[in-house]
Amino acid sequence: MNILLPLFIIVPLAAAFIMIPAARLSRKLPEIISFLATLYLLGATIALYWSRPSNLMLQYKFGVNLVLDGLSQLLLLAVTVVAFFVTIYSFSYMQKYTGREKYYTLYFLMLAGMAGVILTGDLFSLFVFLEMAAISTYALVAFGTQAEELEASIRYLIIGSVASLMILFGIGLVYALTGTSNLAEISRHLPANANFAKGFITALFLAGFGMKAALVPFHSWLPDAHTAAPAPISATLSGVLIKALGIYAIVRIIYNVLGISPQISLILMVLGIVSILAGVLLALWQWDFKRLLAYHSISQIGYVVLGVGLATPLGIMGGLFHLLNHAIFKSLLFLNAGAIEHQAGTRDLKQMGGLSRKMPVTAATSLIASMSIAGVPPFNGFWSKLFIILACIQAGKLWFALAAIIGSILTLSSFLKVQKYAFFEKVKQGFEDLRDAPWPMCAAMIVLALLCLLVGLLLPYAVGIVINPAVVALMNGLGYSRMILGGQ
Amino acid sequence: MVVNILLVIAVLAALAAVESRKIFNSVVAFGIMGLLLCVTFLLLGSFDLALIQLAIEVALLLSLLKFTQATGEKEIQKGWALLNYLAAVILVVVFTWFSFDLFRNLPGAGANVQRFLALNLFNLLGVAGVVFGAVVGAAAVLRPKGKDKEAGG
Amino acid sequence: MMTFFVAALLLSIGLYCVAVKRDLIKIAIGIIIMEYAITLFFVASAPWRGGEDYLAQVAALTGLATTIVIVALVRRLYGRYGTLDISQMRRLKG
């Protein structure tokens, strides 16, 4: 079983390295490799859950230091599920682009980077993998090489590299203070009187990872990048990348390494609330389907941060559950937007209309995803938002609960607008002989929509098997170090 | 002592690189700064890849200048709101001040070496991936045509 | 100690350049100055880590990778827009 863990990083890296030579042999080979590799990753993740949920594994050979606990397992599940379906979707969607082997190469480097960030137990390796994912993402956003894609990419790159350098500076400071970069050892070696240093490092990490996660003061790159990127990339970016590189990293470091304090908890909650409200208010004005979804990403990430920032078991459970749900329904929504763009050639909601008759699969799946994101029972988004709001009330933060409810209502109204303009009403001129998307795209959308429904209906199992181990991992706090190193 | 003098000149060169009107002078000043820093790295007893990094980066910047014919004359001072400058300056002052304060409180050299880290196999793989990704990414961005049906350009 | 101060100062200069300038080549130079500042920090703090300094090499290589992507992007952007002024690239609204 131990061999499984490094393979999560090695398999996508190997796939990336052989992709370009393989394309010389056969045009079809990159797609076959991508399918097999992502299928393997998904299978291996499920096998991990199957064998023994939330077990902890360590490797110390060759300085390789990988840790798997409930939280990493949850993120790994989100990444591999989204990656598998997005890859299937890409087979059709990417047909119109040139240089597809480069696309798959970069895609797998991004996956390897995310898996590395999630699994590594070493702060410096975390940076290296983060940089690997980030650099391939800059290129992927610009993959169409049109003016607006390049523009979005350069904005993302400028903010992203400043963020990376802040994170690296923070890591260097941690290293200088403690003499180690092992996540588990840092908390033991932090000098007791280093409160100022700890605060400064926390601020650096909050700003750096906050930029990666697009929390509200640092969100400006996200709407551009999500709008301009090819749809499968938007889905991966919004579905898992900002979570793996931003939320996961900051949560892991704050909870398990530096230790959470009431002040940091409050900062997280305020960031969350501001993101929820600002994101959804900006989304209300958008008519570009993908840009609207992008602003909703900011808003939904706010829910995750709010829940996790509460630092109560219920809050963390709601936040992490929402993270998983958001990965599913938001990537589905971006795939819907991509399907419409692929078939009808527009992202403008005003130009669409009556698509439910012409593209039934896209319409049905997007209806399910919209209800999930808006928090309509019994879909998955309803439960996680309910947990977060209940947790706010339980913790006595009534204003935060109220703001979360308002955000949820505004989300609902925004998606009613999407449904009305895009899918209902009369069919617009020029769309009379529109067809639904090719079958790989439809298959990916249908399965993701079923997942939305299933996670909502099988709530006790989802929470019991997937979410609770992650909550235990976070509530363990600085006990992380004891769990890994033993003793004391 | 020599290191300190080099570092002071490097800071001046960096300022020149940032504030120079002509973009070519900017690149030259940046090259001087990089060279001085590389010598500093040597003197501090750690020769590393920075010299190669500098050589490649200066070459890339110069190729970019040649390609874009940029001279920097229609520079870029106009129009930025005072507020923006102010925010940037405040950020920079606070940031530098905090860092200074922090550095003063760092433990002495070798105070807490916990464990000699062997060269981490995964870091090596990761860096290979990063550089490979950058090269493939650059190649992907520079494709003459992004989509099959596009007019080109 | 001087080395640390200079590292922080260079980091701030780079940050200032990225925040205030509009010429893409200037912004690229700002980012690269920040990369060098970080490398300097890692070189200077190598004694803290028992003299082991491959971290500085890793920092240098990731910095180089970023530069490669920036240069490629700027080159392509110039081809599309005919300018290096980032404030004139407003194809995307909002």
Side-chain angles (χ1 to χ4, degrees):
Chain A
M1 215 55 195
N2 276 353
I3 191 67
L4 261 181
L5 223 39
L7 282 182
F8 276 110
I9 300 163
I10 291 173
V11 165
L13 259 184
F17 281 122
I18 62 172
M19 206 62 87
I20 289 175
R24 294 262 162 85
L25 289 178
S26 150
R27 305 272 299 160
K28 276 276 162 214
L29 214 47
E31 290 170 2
I32 296 169
I33 295 172
S34 320
F35 179 76
L36 291 178
T38 45
L39 183 66
Y40 166 78
L41 290 176
L42 183 60
T45 312
I46 293 171
L48 275 181
Y49 272 109
W50 200 262
S51 62
R52 43 177 86 165
S54 81
N55 194 11
L56 181 104
M57 294 182 211
L58 302 167
Q59 315 257 320
Y60 264 118
K61 284 173 198 155
F62 313 112
V64 173
N65 175 5
L66 299 180
V67 178
L68 181 83
D69 63 1
L71 182 61
S72 347
Q73 218 168 347
L74 167 68
L75 263 292
L76 211 53
L77 182 68
V79 169
T80 49
V81 167
V82 171
F84 179 65
F85 294 111
V86 163
T87 307
I88 292 177
Y89 183 92
S90 300
F91 294 157
S92 306
Y93 188 87
M94 296 309 290
Q95 285 301 325
K96 57 188 173 189
Y97 290 87
T98 61
R100 285 189 291 280
E101 71 281 0
K102 296 195 185 73
Y103 167 82
Y104 289 114
T105 306
L106 292 167
Y107 192 77
F108 275 98
L109 281 175
M110 180 170 78
L111 283 185
M114 284 194 282
V117 167
I118 291 166
L119 285 176
T120 186
D122 182 279
L123 203 50
F124 202 77
S125 306
L126 187 142
F127 171 76
V128 172
F129 285 115
L130 179 133
E131 198 63 8
M132 180 153 77
I135 284 185
S136 29
T137 320
Y138 306 143
L140 281 171
V141 169
F143 199 77
T145 72
Q146 294 299 307
E148 61 174 55
E149 289 154 359
L150 295 164
E151 183 193 328
S153 174
I154 194 85
R155 285 169 201 278
Y156 179 24
L157 193 155
I158 291 168
I159 293 178
S161 33
V162 169
S164 293
L165 289 168
M166 279 186 167
I167 293 165
L168 186 54
F169 188 46
I171 291 173
L173 285 176
V174 168
Y175 212 141
L177 269 177
T178 64
T180 176
S181 68
N182 188 328
L183 284 175
E185 286 183 10
I186 288 169
S187 61
R188 291 193 175 182
H189 295 299
L190 267 180
N193 57 351
N195 279 334
F196 175 76
K198 232 167 109 177
F200 188 60
I201 291 168
T202 312
L204 278 176
F205 282 148
L206 263 181
F209 290 119
M211 285 183 200
K212 297 274 183 198
L215 293 174
V216 144
F218 316 114
H219 68 285
S220 62
W221 63 270
L222 185 139
D224 291 348
H226 284 36
T227 311
I233 297 306
S234 312
T236 320
L237 275 179
S238 178
V240 286
L241 188 102
I242 55 176
K243 300 192 186 88
L245 264 53
I247 304 289
Y248 168 80
I250 191 66
V251 163
R252 170 71 83 203
I253 288 174
I254 283 186
Y255 271 85
N256 292 143
V257 179
L258 297 175
I260 185 136
S261 65
Q263 293 92 347
I264 298 176
S265 165
L266 186 68
I267 292 175
L268 283 178
M269 280 189 280
V270 171
L271 282 176
I273 283 291
V274 173
S275 300
I276 291 175
L277 293 178
V280 79
L281 286 174
L282 287 165
L284 285 177
W285 305 107
Q286 303 302 324
W287 287 100
D288 182 325
F289 195 2
K290 280 172 89 178
R291 184 167 275 271
L292 180 143
L293 293 177
Y295 279 111
H296 277 297
S297 285
I298 297 172
S299 162
Q300 301 298 315
I301 284 294
Y303 280 100
V304 177
V305 174
L306 172 66
V308 172
L310 277 167
T312 60
L314 187 63
I316 295 177
M317 184 181 95
L320 293 179
F321 192 27
H322 200 64
L323 187 153
L324 179 67
N325 292 339
H326 183 251
I328 299 171
F329 59 63
K330 186 48 75 64
S331 46
L332 173 55
L333 280 167
F334 271 112
L335 297 186
N336 292 144
I340 294 173
E341 193 182 0
H342 192 71
Q343 298 298 320
T346 179
R347 297 199 301 255
D348 190 346
L349 287 172
K350 285 179 187 160
Q351 289 179 16
M352 301 173 190
L355 294 182
S356 61
R357 259 165 266 158
K358 300 293 174 186
M359 304 177 70
V361 175
T362 310
T365 52
S366 96
L367 185 64
I368 291 177
S370 299
M371 291 201 282
S372 291
I373 193 174
V376 176
F379 296 99
N380 54 7
F382 167 72
W383 298 108
S384 44
K385 280 187 185 175
L386 184 70
F387 290 149
I388 292 171
I389 292 166
L390 285 180
C392 282
I393 295 172
Q394 188 194 41
K397 317 269 187 204
L398 293 181
W399 288 108
F400 286 173
L402 187 67
I405 293 170
I406 292 173
S408 188
I409 293 169
L410 291 175
T411 310
L412 179 63
S413 68
S414 174
F415 276 93
L416 284 179
K417 174 179 110 177
V418 170
Q419 291 297 324
K420 174 171 177 288
Y421 278 90
F423 297 108
F424 295 107
E425 297 194 335
K426 281 192 296 255
V427 180
K428 289 266 169 67
Q429 276 194 345
F431 289 163
E432 283 87 3
D433 36 277
L434 206 61
R435 296 241 197 98
D436 215 328
W439 67 267
M441 290 162 76
C442 285
M445 292 189 288
I446 290 172
V447 179
L448 283 173
L450 286 180
L451 277 179
C452 279
L453 202 57
L454 273 182
V455 174
L457 292 177
L458 300 177
L459 177 76
Y461 297 98
V463 170
I465 298 172
V466 181
I467 308 297
N468 275 342
V471 177
V472 170
L474 277 189
M475 286 310 288
N476 203 0
L478 295 178
Y480 179 78
S481 148
R482 189 160 54 245
M483 187 175 70
I484 289 171
L485 301 172
Q488 292 178 36
Chain B
M1 196 58 220
V2 182
V3 171
N4 289 357
I5 295 169
L6 286 178
L7 286 174
V8 170
I9 305 175
V11 170
L12 293 178
L15 281 175
V18 172
E19 286 303 337
S20 160
R21 284 259 168 168
K22 295 232 168 175
I23 202 81
F24 181 76
N25 297 349
S26 205
V27 174
V28 171
F30 159 72
I32 292 171
M33 182 210 77
L35 201 61
L36 288 171
L37 285 183
C38 285
V39 175
T40 317
F41 297 160
L42 264 177
L43 290 177
L44 289 176
S46 102
F47 180 72
D48 65 331
L49 297 163
L51 209 55
I52 300 167
Q53 182 195 7
L54 178 74
I56 298 176
E57 280 174 352
V58 169
L60 285 175
L61 284 176
L62 286 178
S63 80
L64 197 60
L65 282 190
K66 186 145 191 296
F67 177 74
T68 57
Q69 312 273 311
T71 54
E73 265 137 33
K74 52 178 179 310
E75 156 94 61
I76 306 295
Q77 309 288 339
K78 55 172 189 204
W80 267 101
L82 188 67
L83 200 67
N84 221 328
Y85 264 110
L86 211 65
V89 169
I90 288 174
L91 186 73
V92 164
V93 169
V94 169
F95 189 77
T96 319
W97 177 41
F98 272 35
S99 315
F100 281 8
D101 225 47
L102 186 58
F103 290 145
R104 250 194 317 215
N105 294 322
L106 283 181
N112 47 19
V113 178
Q114 306 302 341
R115 180 161 72 91
F116 192 89
L117 229 120
L119 186 63
N120 184 326
L121 186 72
F122 264 37
N123 281 356
L124 210 65
L125 260 180
V127 171
V130 170
V131 175
F132 180 64
V135 173
V136 175
V141 170
L142 291 173
R143 279 174 307 151
K145 267 204 220 168
K147 295 178 186 170
D148 281 333
K149 284 174 191 163
E150 183 195 327
Chain C
M1 197 60 6
M2 176 79 178
T3 22
F4 289 115
F5 290 174
V6 169
L9 205 58
L10 283 177
L11 206 59
S12 304
I13 292 173
L15 199 60
Y16 166 82
C17 182
V18 173
V20 165
K21 299 292 171 184
R22 302 193 305 184
D23 188 319
L24 278 174
I25 296 181
K26 277 268 173 80
I27 291 176
I29 288 177
I31 290 177
I32 301 173
I33 289 176
M34 286 176 81
E35 286 162 5
Y36 274 87
I38 301 276
T39 311
L40 179 64
F41 174 75
F42 273 101
V43 169
S45 64
W48 268 253
R49 302 188 298 268
E52 161 252 352
D53 72 329
Y54 81 94
L55 298 194
Q57 322 248 2
V58 173
L61 273 177
T62 51
L64 179 61
T66 315
T67 315
I68 293 173
V69 178
I70 295 179
V71 169
L73 266 178
V74 172
R75 189 170 177 148
R76 205 65 212 270
L77 269 167
Y78 185 78
R80 292 284 183 199
Y81 283 93
T83 174
L84 287 171
D85 187 344
I86 194 168
S87 66
Q88 286 179 17
M89 298 170 188
R90 299 275 359 143
R91 202 67 64 89
L92 291 159
K93 56 201 175 295

